[in-house]
Amino acid sequence: MENPSATAYDDSFRTLLNDCRELIIPVVNEAFGEGYTGQEEIIFAPNEHFLNQDGGTEEKRITDSNFIIVSADGAAAGV
């Protein structure tokens, strides 16, 4: 059985993204030193990516999250 504390951060972050979306902006501000006001739009994107490798192969990468923060003036920042 996997150590429960090993996934505590991942589980908490998924809960934040799914159940507490109003807290995403404050967490991004704190973690990355940003200054978002909370009036921005959050657009969620797929969390599966395919990276092109040498020789024409692809590597599938799955991330915890993938979202874009769009300000009122339309400027976007990916997280």
Side-chain angles (χ1 to χ4, degrees):
M1 180 174 178
E2 189 175 335
N3 179 353
S5 65
T7 63
Y9 174 80
D10 291 334
D11 294 345
S12 298
F13 192 69
R14 270 191 292 281
T15 298
L16 172 80
L17 293 175
N18 293 323
D19 299 338
C20 307
R21 291 185 178 200
E22 68 278 359
L23 297 177
I24 295 172
I25 296 290
V27 168
V28 169
N29 283 342
E30 184 67 27
F32 299 103
E34 297 294 340
Y36 296 113
T37 66
Q39 301 303 310
E40 295 80 7
E41 177 183 8
I42 298 172
I43 300 171
F44 288 90
N47 66 340
E48 293 183 359
H49 309 279
F50 293 91
L51 307 172
N52 294 325
Q53 302 293 315
D54 291 336
T57 61
E58 289 183 337
E59 176 186 341
K60 183 177 181 179
R61 183 161 301 163
I62 300 174
T63 61
D64 288 333
S65 65
N66 184 15
F67 58 88
I68 300 166
I69 300 173
V70 180
S71 67
D73 65 5
V79 177

